[in-house]
Amino acid sequence: MHLQIFIILLIATLLGYQWMVDSGLIHTESVVGFPSALVLLIVPRLVLGLIYWLMCRMTLRRLAEPTAAVSLHRLDQLGTIYRLGIIVCVVLDFQTTWPLWLYRELGLAHVPLVWEIIMLAPAMLMLGWSWWCYFPIEQRLRQAVLIRRMDEGMPIYPIAGRLQFVIGEFRHKIALLLVPMLLMLGWVNIITVWIPADARLWGMALHVPLLLLGVGGILLFSPLVVRWVWDTHAMADGELRHRLIEMCRMHGVHVRGILVWNTWGTMINGAVVGFTRRLRFILLTDALLETMKKDHVEAVMAHELGHVRKRHMPWMLLAAMTAMIWINLFTHQVARFLEVRLPFLGDALGDSWALHGHVLFLTAAVFGLAVWLVVFGWISRRFERQADTFAAIHLARYRLAPQPGDEQRGDEAAEPAEHDADDRNPAIIQHSDSETVAEALLSVARLNHFPPQRSSWRHGSIQWRCDYLKTLPGRTTDDLPIDRLVSGIQVTTVIGLIGLILLAWQLPHLMPIMP
């Protein structure tokens, strides 16, 4: 399971529990009390943690065997099961009295984020335990890479300690999504607790503009959160930085700065954050800059610039919100139809129909979330494919002229070849252009110790992306199927937004069975 999906499901589980408590579906008599609660709280976590620890030990012993890759793949699959198990443990927590006592009796429902952080703490500890158990494997793999780097004369980094490794995993893989989501939850709590439900502004419910204002502000200033959560610093002045800044100028991309993302050589990656030019940063990891060939670094940078030039971040946000609202609206209507239009169910269930009606809506919400994850993942992977295409187009137009001594990597002295700075002029993508981007992706996979075939929810597998890049040679840059597909996604998003606005305006007349 992708860690981003894990965080989304974890937050959705907390929200589902809060909704059930506020709806009266959960009360003191319906949950398990002490001492049976201790069994549900402790035993599943102990069993799950012990199984994962034993599997890590077995995998560590098999790293020297020819089947090491198979063992690592099995451990990766177990990691998915382990994270699902963490969510199951959270659900089991909700069958005990202590979450309800904290939420209702202690009054933490009215204190922003305190209850949520307490409930998330055991899940985060279990996630940290999985990295703690995995560290010896990571250390062995890093040692092998260290020896190879020494033989090749490449930069080497000290191997992080166990605690430093766990903290780094939290910072790089969890905090970037969890911190903004918690801030949004806290803002929603503040609005619902401190602003009366009937408060209105210019005839409109005051909750709506305040909610949009808070969420928009969090998204707008999220790059500053990234700089705080991740260990970053400005890239030092030099030929490579000059080239990357020149690339930004070529494509008309305004950034506040290019940052080096310090990972102590543990990660090869790049990212772009920020919606506005004054709050937009491009991040490239230390290992990427110091170990990859110059044209590969340029391909990664072009990929990130593609996200900005194609406005993927705002479009992805709009598509995600539009898809979520439409999917939830549809599933809600189906649940309401089953509740209102099928009275024989109420006759069959009797007094328990009210409870089953609430469960029906909760089931619809869970199904809607699952559908949204599939839809959003599909959209995100197409945006990634377009960014890969943008990188190949960049190389077709602005490829660096090869320089002596640039066989291994480059951070010095290379000049751009002659080019026309007008991106509107079509060019033909050559085999070397798409191959360079594919080689950069494969280098990222190899240096990050994960197989190219490993799937990714938002990015797709490296192999899937490389197979696509092989279809680009010979195509002109102004006639690419991926551009037409992404344009179709954007048009659909706009139509969906217009439909939602009209639906909200005419909702009482168009959909009378909605509350």
Side-chain angles (χ1 to χ4, degrees), residues 87-102:
I87 296 176
V88 171
C89 288
V90 173
V91 174
L92 292 177
D93 290 345
F94 294 153
Q95 309 306 311
T96 65
T97 56
W98 78 279
L100 185 61
W101 180 79
L102 290 173

Side-chain angles (χ1 to χ4, degrees), residues 20 159 169 230 260 279 283 313 335 363 367 404 455 466-467 492:
M20 293 181 71
I159 299 178
E169 293 294 288
W230 290 350
V260 178
L279 290 173
L283 298 92
M313 286 183 288
T363 303
F367 177 76
S455 61
C466 290
D467 290 342
T492 303

Side-chain angles (χ1 to χ4, degrees), residues 169-346:
E169 293 294 288
F170 269 114
R171 293 180 68 180
H172 299 147
K173 298 181 178 179
I174 295 296
L176 181 61
L177 179 62
L178 183 60
V179 170
M181 290 189 72
L182 286 177
L183 291 176
M184 292 180 191
L185 281 179
W187 180 247
V188 171
N189 288 344
I190 290 173
I191 292 176
T192 55
V193 171
W194 293 352
I195 305 298
D198 58 351
R200 307 188 75 80
L201 178 66
W202 300 321
M204 179 176 56
L206 187 58
H207 283 191
V208 176
L210 287 178
L211 180 62
L212 295 177
L213 181 66
V215 172
I218 292 171
L219 292 175
L220 181 64
F221 291 99
S222 59
L224 302 181
V225 176
V226 172
R227 293 204 66 179
W228 171 71
V229 170
W230 290 350
D231 182 11
T232 64
H233 67 268
M235 179 181 288
D237 195 23
E239 292 295 331
L240 179 58
R241 182 179 182 277
H242 291 167
R243 173 58 180 170
L244 299 182
I245 293 295
E246 173 66 9
M247 289 176 62
C248 294
R249 188 196 65 78
M250 290 174 182
H251 297 293
V253 174
H254 299 274
V255 296
R256 184 170 178 177
I258 300 177
L259 304 179
V260 178
W261 176 5
N262 300 310
T263 65
W264 295 90
T266 61
M267 187 182 301
I268 311 290
N269 203 356
V272 57
V273 294
F275 291 92
T276 65
R277 64 177 64 186
R278 295 186 180 276
L279 290 173
R280 181 184 297 133
F281 299 92
I282 292 180
L283 298 92
L284 302 173
T285 63
D286 46 8
L288 182 147
L289 294 171
E290 296 185 359
T291 61
M292 294 184 69
K293 296 167 61 176
K294 180 179 291 293
D295 55 349
H296 291 174
V297 173
E298 182 160 354
V300 173
M301 180 68 173
H303 174 96
E304 301 305 329
L305 292 178
H307 284 308
V308 180
R309 186 62 186 270
K310 300 298 184 179
R311 297 178 175 84
H312 285 167
M313 286 183 288
W315 277 112
M316 203 172 324
L317 178 63
L318 288 175
M321 293 176 58
T322 304
M324 178 175 290
I325 295 173
W326 272 113
I327 292 170
N328 286 338
L329 182 62
F330 174 77
T331 55
H332 178 87
Q333 288 299 94
V334 171
R336 177 58 62 89
F337 175 82
L338 294 176
E339 181 187 45
V340 175
R341 305 301 187 189
L342 300 179
F344 67 87
L345 289 178

